Amino acid sequence: MCHDPVVTRWVPQVVAHRGASDAEPEHTLAAYRRAIEMGADAVECDVRLTADGHLVCVHDRRVDRTSSGSGLVSTLELTQLQGLDWGSWQRLVRPDEAEEPFVVEPGDRSHLLTLRTLLGYLRDCGREVRVAVETKHPTRYGGLVERVLAEVLADFGWAEPASRESSPVRMMSFSSLAVRRMRQLTPRVPLVLLLERLPLPLRDGRLPRGVDAVGISVALLRRRPEYADRVHQAGREVHVWVVDDPADVELCRRARVDAIITNRPDAVLDRLGRASPTAG
């Protein structure tokens, strides 16, 4: 929670969107390693179910944009997806790399990342880094996505956190049905309802039962900055995506949002006056 009842200083959680995806190919281990090195408090990933039942970190329905292959994630098996190159599509210029090279292991920028691999890496990375897992809908597998997610979290011992505040993971989705499913499957895991637009029944800041936070675009926050106050008055959190521009960071500061989701966690942390945990 970012609003301390005793200390009024605003300290939002800085969340790396698909990893540090401005610096490394999205959803690759390199992107998440870079986000942790930069000092991100949390990371975000999108998950889809393969034809043989594995959750993989891929945003689009199709693999065409972010890999060397083509086709629907849901119709391909894990081994087929693992045979693709997931990093060469993104050619990045890093002018600072000569001064502070970022060393990656072979395959970190090109291999498919499964959710299990990502969670294992975060668990063992040496400091607390939370993760927001977005289930993508619609999908041919419907509620099976959330059931498999609950099983994966249970295997890591994360399905029943001691408290919602201490949970290392939160689930989010644009599908209110998916969020309700997850509440039934893992009642203690925090939930975030993502909104493309603001429906009339939610404009007063109230959220469905069991939902801990609303996730809105920075464009929606620009149009309706008062909405953040309403959500906070209702006792819930506000998470905002994707915040890369300095002016939008200031907008989030004024709105005192609880989580800033960004492709550039280093720039946002710098704007907030926060140093990387590895700095100095």
Side-chain angles (χ1 to χ4, degrees):
M1 188 72 170
C2 301
H3 297 286
D4 193 305
V6 177
V7 180
T8 59
R9 187 170 66 94
W10 173 70
V11 184
Q13 189 178 79
V14 176
V15 184
H17 182 242
R18 307 177 197 172
S21 52
D22 188 59
E24 298 290 340
E26 66 183 59
H27 284 135
T28 61
L29 190 56
Y32 291 103
R33 289 185 59 219
R34 178 68 75 97
I36 292 169
E37 180 185 84
M38 289 174 173
D41 303 304
V43 299
E44 180 268 354
C45 69
D46 306 291
V47 293
R48 291 186 176 276
L49 203 60
T50 67
D52 52 344
H54 297 273
L55 285 175
V56 292
C57 301
V58 181
H59 176 271
D60 301 356
R61 292 177 64 247
R62 301 187 62 87
V63 304
D64 303 49
R65 178 179 66 87
T66 55
S67 84
S68 58
S70 64
L72 296 170
V73 176
S74 61
T75 63
L76 298 171
E77 295 188 352
L78 181 61
T79 54
Q80 294 174 289
L81 293 165
Q82 288 174 327
L84 303 176
D85 183 330
W86 292 85
S88 297
W89 66 277
Q90 187 171 359
R91 300 295 181 182
L92 299 162
V93 178
R94 304 179 183 87
D96 63 332
E97 198 164 62
E99 296 180 10
E100 296 185 15
F102 176 66
V103 180
V104 297
E105 298 296 327
D108 277 8
R109 288 189 177 123
S110 60
H111 288 176
L112 175 76
L113 191 61
T114 66
L115 180 63
R116 287 183 182 274
T117 298
L118 175 59
L119 297 187
Y121 177 71
L122 296 175
R123 179 193 57 198
D124 301 332
C125 74
R127 69 176 178 89
E128 181 182 84
V129 179
R130 299 191 181 192
V131 57
V133 180
E134 179 184 345
T135 61
K136 306 300 291 184
H137 290 277
T139 172
R140 70 183 64 209
Y141 299 118
L144 182 60
V145 178
E146 284 72 40
R147 289 199 294 276
V148 174
L149 175 56
E151 291 171 3
V152 172
L153 296 184
D155 288 345
F156 277 81
W158 292 359
E160 297 184 5
S163 67
R164 302 176 84 82
E165 291 75 19
S166 66
S167 176
V169 62
R170 58 180 174 263
M171 176 270 186
M172 56 187 189
S173 184
F174 285 100
S175 167
S176 57
L177 179 58
V179 171
R180 287 199 298 273
R181 284 194 208 105
M182 204 65 191
R183 179 167 60 85
Q184 295 172 343
L185 291 165
T186 57
R188 295 183 186 176
V189 171
L191 302 172
V192 183
L193 177 62
L194 301 173
L195 298 177
E196 288 277 10
R197 55 185 62 85
L198 192 56
L200 185 60
L202 301 183
R203 290 183 183 177
D204 62 359
R206 289 181 293 179
L207 296 173
R209 184 167 65 90
V211 174
D212 302 85
V214 65
I216 61 173
S217 70
V218 70
L220 180 53
L221 183 63
R222 290 191 208 110
R223 293 195 303 271
R224 294 182 174 274
E226 75 286 350
Y227 178 63
D229 286 336
R230 293 174 183 170
V231 174
H232 287 147
Q233 288 168 9
R236 311 294 178 89
E237 293 189 357
V238 179
H239 300 187
V240 180
W241 46 271
V242 175
V243 183
D244 290 340
D245 189 275
D248 289 331
V249 178
E250 293 306 310
L251 173 65
C252 289
R253 187 194 300 273
R254 291 192 298 274
R256 298 177 71 82
V257 305
D258 302 274
I260 296 176
I261 304 171
T262 176
N263 297 316
R264 304 170 182 168
D266 55 343
V268 172
L269 287 164
D270 184 64
R271 188 77 184 180
L272 297 175
R274 293 177 53 193
S276 163
T278 60

